[in-house]
Amino acid sequence: MLPSSAQYAGAFARMGFGARGLSMGNALAADARSDTSPYYNPAFAPLASGQKMEASVATLSFDRSLQFLQLSAPLQKKAGFALGIIHAAVSDIDGRDNSGFHTANLSVDEYAGFLAFGLKFSERVSAGINLQMFQTDLFDGLTPARSIGLDIGFVYRIRPSWSVGLVADDLLARYSWDSSDLGGSGSTITDAFPRRIRFGISTYQLDGKLSIHSELESRFSSVRSEVRKTRVFGDNPAETSEEKLLISQEFRFRTGLEYTPIDGFAFRAGVEQLGSEVLDSIRPSLGFMGEQNVGELKIRAEYGFAYEAKAGGKLHLISLILFL
């Protein structure tokens, strides 16, 4: 049985960021260039060439939607920051009562805000941290769950044409649900985000016109399981329960490329592994980019497409970037 990434808390925040990242398989942990979002690695924050604002909107199957907004800028010569937000929603959910009759159309909203800050220690080494705030609003009568997460990242340029990156994602992040106010058999449940460690490598060839990126992720997920046992106390058997913490590990691979035949235009493609089964859980993607100067303002438009085999649909994403 193939595990789905949607089973874990905060899955919407792991879908990627913007058309560029998604169309390249989200394999950007080591892509140390000025146009890579620090959301993929906070060590990219000090590498920005100037102030930039990015807005993205995505359409997905099953009444899902996804939006991104980011502002990034360098600070002096050795620091930089990025401020952004992700919003995901599912609308037109068919709500029904215990008898199966329709009650109302429901919706779910989730948010992830982040503030990334990084320092450039030398021309080859930079590092950064990313502070995140998550919120999910599932039901009108249920208090929204909130959490704080932390990412830590490093990037090292081995040579001008090679770089490596290391990122630890979603540290500390977890949702706590309290459904006791809804009545019935409500309880408090804690749902931890998977802890992820990503290692990436990037290379730039053909005088920088072709870039190839690969990334390996090690993901640790914890689940609390209740085990029931029958024990004998004296002459009387009794059923007891015992809670155990189970930790599983899985690896995921991503790769992507970008080719710029002429200045201001680029082709992109990638493949992302979404589950533990390599062949049955890959998500192919592609996209392109075009930019144009309007006076002193440079505007870039990007498009990304991904085929979600397990979700049974297609993902289209458009990004607009203003270089201020």
Side-chain angles (χ1 to χ4, degrees):
M1 191 76 179
L2 176 67
S4 170
S5 60
Q7 293 174 336
Y8 304 113
F12 76 101
R14 296 186 289 274
M15 293 186 68
F17 192 93
R20 182 173 184 270
L22 185 137
S23 61
M24 297 170 65
N26 290 317
L28 302 180
D31 186 21
R33 295 191 295 185
S34 60
D35 53 356
T36 305
S37 172
Y39 189 80
Y40 287 101
N41 188 337
F44 299 155
L47 307 180
S49 59
Q51 298 181 8
K52 180 178 67 173
M53 178 175 290
E54 176 178 350
S56 306
V57 59
T59 61
L60 304 91
S61 57
F62 300 112
D63 300 309
R64 296 173 297 159
S65 61
L66 192 63
Q67 299 89 37
F68 308 90
L69 183 65
Q70 176 185 276
L71 173 65
S72 59
L75 299 174
Q76 300 298 327
K77 295 183 178 180
K78 294 185 177 294
F81 80 96
L83 179 68
I85 187 170
I86 301 174
H87 170 242
V90 181
S91 59
D92 293 332
I93 301 173
D94 186 14
R96 295 180 179 269
D97 58 20
N98 292 333
S99 300
F101 293 103
H102 176 78
T103 56
N105 288 329
L106 308 177
S107 63
V108 174
D109 289 280
E110 295 191 89
Y111 300 88
F114 68 91
L115 174 60
F117 177 80
L119 291 173
K120 185 162 63 172
F121 296 102
S122 69
E123 291 301 319
R124 291 191 173 189
V125 180
S126 63
I129 60 173
N130 184 18
L131 180 64
Q132 302 178 82
M133 173 68 76
F134 299 95
Q135 175 176 309
T136 180
D137 190 0
L138 296 182
F139 185 69
D140 290 339
L142 187 66
T143 301
R146 299 181 178 89
S147 180
I148 293 177
L150 184 67
D151 300 341
I152 302 174
F154 303 88
V155 66
Y156 174 63
R157 299 171 190 79
I158 304 174
R159 300 173 57 185
S161 59
W162 290 88
S163 61
V164 295
L166 182 66
V167 188
D169 289 303
D170 298 332
L171 305 178
L172 309 177
R174 65 185 65 240
Y175 283 148
S176 293
W177 315 91
D178 186 2
S179 58
S180 58
D181 293 338
L182 301 178
S185 57
S187 61
T188 300
I189 298 176
T190 298
D191 195 0
F193 285 43
R195 307 298 186 245
R196 302 182 296 147
I197 299 176
R198 295 183 290 120
F199 173 77
I201 184 168
S202 296
T203 181
Y204 311 94
Q205 304 297 327
L206 303 179
D207 294 327
K209 292 184 177 182
L210 175 65
S211 63
I212 303 174
H213 315 276
S214 296
E215 178 179 307
L216 180 65
E217 174 186 315
S218 177
R219 177 176 298 198
F220 300 88
S221 304
S222 60
V223 177
R224 294 190 178 275
S225 176
E226 185 178 5
V227 179
R228 295 185 177 275
K229 297 181 180 180
T230 301
R231 296 183 178 180
V232 178
F233 297 92
D235 295 330
N236 299 317
E239 186 179 51
T240 62
S241 62
E242 182 178 303
E243 190 178 74
K244 290 186 176 181
L245 180 63
L246 305 178
I247 299 178
S248 63
Q249 181 187 17
E250 59 179 296
F251 294 93
R252 300 191 179 186
F253 180 75
R254 305 177 181 93
T255 187
L257 62 85
E258 181 178 47
Y259 178 61
T260 308
I262 59 175
D263 291 339
F265 186 81
F267 294 104
R268 298 160 179 163
V271 173
E272 180 175 7
Q273 180 187 348
L274 299 180
S276 57
E277 297 293 334
V278 178
L279 297 179
D280 294 334
S281 62
I282 60 173
R283 181 173 69 180
S285 57
L286 55 86
F288 60 87
M289 172 276 291
E291 62 184 25
Q292 179 66 45
N293 291 329
V294 180
E296 297 182 355
L297 183 66
K298 184 167 72 172
I299 301 177
R300 176 181 295 173
E302 301 180 334
Y303 169 75
F305 167 83
Y307 179 68
E308 299 183 293
K310 290 301 175 180
K314 304 173 182 64
L315 189 156
H316 301 271
L317 199 154
I318 297 176
S319 296
L320 183 64
I321 304 173
L322 302 179
F323 293 85
L324 306 176

